């Protein structure tokens, strides 16, 4: 099974919606059973990851290290359960492996590890590292003469890290048109709202000032995501500002700062799965 850009457009929206619903069920189940995780951010980024893996990226779960594969970097590595759930949905490893998350000797740790998990391009966790790595991936592909693409997903809180803006300036200078940076703009970070911690807006103007092609969309609209993840139309790197809701899909988690890394109780897990069953 290869996951690539050639899914039938007519079937795209219902297919991705169904996949995303299943991924969200896997996320809440995995975190609930393990007693650890970052539920709010996992749920906000789900639709972005589903659109990336099931539509935008050219990858093959049976050849995860193929030289010409597209690269995906989850900079907000604390949302590893969302990445693991999407990789499992694509066939990189059995869904049953999600049951081992956080357990002794499990390859599925709280942050993704490229040595242990097929489909993971780079270890992430310290925020502000993913975009610099992605810039390196895009530059490396150019040097090797490979026409693959690189997509990196960042949390909006981590945009406060200066390393991102150094990388953004470098990407624009080298006109890395094969690079797409997606900001999961849920407006919450650990402990507070982003605008209370360190204001980010006008975020679109800031990316544009650094020389990027900017696309602002509803980060839960699958068709909008697919279109936004399309190649650059200007020869510049693309910044997708995906407006999302932290905890999307579970009403008592949505837009609640305390659910950054809270674990649902057994009763809350049942309620969340019921909401996600439709």
């Amino acid at each position: 099974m290869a996951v690539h850009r050639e899914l039938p457009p007519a079937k795209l929206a219902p297919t991705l919606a169904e996949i995303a619903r299943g991924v969200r069920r896997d996320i809440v189940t995995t975190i609930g059973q393990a007693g650890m995780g970052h539920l709010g951010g996992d749920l906000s980024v789900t639709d972005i990851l589903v659109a990336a893996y099931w539509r935008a990226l050219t990858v093959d779960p049976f050849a995860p290290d193929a030289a010409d594969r597209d690269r995906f970097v989850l900079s907000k590595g604390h949302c590893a359960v969302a990445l693991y759930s999407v990789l499992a949905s694509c066939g990189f490893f059995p869904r049953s492996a999600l049951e081992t998350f956080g357990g002794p000797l499990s390859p599925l740790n709280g942050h993704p590890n490229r040595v242990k998990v097929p489909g993971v391009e780079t270890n992430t966790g310290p925020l502000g590292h993913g975009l610099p790595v992605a810039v390196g991936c895009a530059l490396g592909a150019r040097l090797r003469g490979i026409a693959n693409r690189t997509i990196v997903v960042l949390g909006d809180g981590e945009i406060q890290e200066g390393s991102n803006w150094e990388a953004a300036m470098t990407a624009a200078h080298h006109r890395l048109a094969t690079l797409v940076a997606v900001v999961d703009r849920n407006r919450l970070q650990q402990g507070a709202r982003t605008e209370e911690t360190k204001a980010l807006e006008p975020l679109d103007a800031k990316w544009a000032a650094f020389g990027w092609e900017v696309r602002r969309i509803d980060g839960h609209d699958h068709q909008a995501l697919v279109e936004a993840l399309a190649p650059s139309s200007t020869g510049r790197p693309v910044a997708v500002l995906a407006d999302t809701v932290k905890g999307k899909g579970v009403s008592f988690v949505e837009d609640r700062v305390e659910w950054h890394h809270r674990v649902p109780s057994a009763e809350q897990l049942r309620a969340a799965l019921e909401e996600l069953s439709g």
Side-chain angles (χ1 to χ4, degrees), residues 21-68:
R21 192 178 305 117
V23 166
R24 284 191 166 92
R25 288 196 296 267
D26 284 343
I27 288 169
V28 298
T29 300
T30 300
I31 290 176
Q33 291 178 344
M36 60 178 286
H38 291 77
L39 186 60
D42 282 310
L43 294 175
S44 73
V45 82
T46 295
D47 297 304
I48 298 169
L49 300 192
V50 167
Y53 272 94
W54 282 91
R55 184 57 172 170
L57 293 164
T58 297
V59 291
D60 185 345
F62 294 115
D65 296 323
D68 61 348

Side-chain angles (χ1 to χ4, degrees), residues 7-252:
L7 293 176
K11 298 181 179 179
L12 183 62
T15 299
L16 293 188
E18 182 178 30
I19 293 168
R21 192 178 305 117
V23 166
R24 284 191 166 92
R25 288 196 296 267
D26 284 343
I27 288 169
V28 298
T29 300
T30 300
I31 290 176
Q33 291 178 344
M36 60 178 286
H38 291 77
L39 186 60
D42 282 310
L43 294 175
S44 73
V45 82
T46 295
D47 297 304
I48 298 169
L49 300 192
V50 167
Y53 272 94
W54 282 91
R55 184 57 172 170
L57 293 164
T58 297
V59 291
D60 185 345
F62 294 115
D65 296 323
D68 61 348
R69 71 190 183 280
D70 287 344
R71 267 58 169 184
F72 177 85
V73 176
L74 180 65
S75 188
K76 47 182 293 180
H78 57 284
C79 291
V81 176
L83 178 59
Y84 297 152
S85 298
V86 172
L87 288 173
S89 78
C90 295
F92 280 88
F93 53 82
R95 283 183 63 238
S96 59
L98 296 173
E99 299 172 9
T100 73
F101 170 68
L105 303 181
S106 173
L108 305 183
N109 298 321
H111 292 84
N113 187 324
R114 72 172 304 276
V115 176
K116 297 181 178 181
V117 184
V120 173
E121 290 292 343
T122 186
N123 297 24
T124 51
L127 298 177
H129 288 193
L131 183 57
V133 169
V135 169
C137 289
L139 278 171
R142 175 181 291 178
L143 290 171
R144 295 192 305 273
I146 300 174
N148 62 344
R149 303 180 67 214
T150 301
I151 296 177
V152 54
V153 173
L154 307 96
D156 51 1
E158 76 169 296
I159 300 299
Q160 296 159 356
E161 300 280 354
S163 53
N164 287 302
W165 299 106
E166 293 178 46
M169 192 161 41
T170 300
H173 173 77
H174 290 285
R175 297 187 67 83
L176 297 179
T178 60
L179 175 63
V180 178
V182 185
V183 179
D184 180 20
R185 186 70 172 110
N186 60 38
R187 292 175 170 76
L188 285 170
Q189 60 191 98
Q190 183 172 330
R193 296 194 174 274
T194 58
E195 302 311 282
E196 297 170 4
T197 306
K198 186 180 294 183
L200 297 174
E201 297 295 345
L203 197 52
D204 47 359
K206 289 174 181 175
W207 283 94
F210 272 73
W212 288 56
E213 177 184 337
V214 181
R215 303 168 181 174
R216 191 150 205 165
I217 60 163
D218 177 349
H220 301 302
D221 182 328
H222 296 122
Q223 188 61 45
L225 280 163
V226 170
E227 293 172 0
L229 293 172
S232 171
S233 61
T234 61
R236 295 178 288 157
V238 174
V240 177
L241 308 184
D243 291 310
T244 61
V245 176
K246 196 156 189 171
K248 178 68 174 178
V250 180
S251 59
F252 57 86

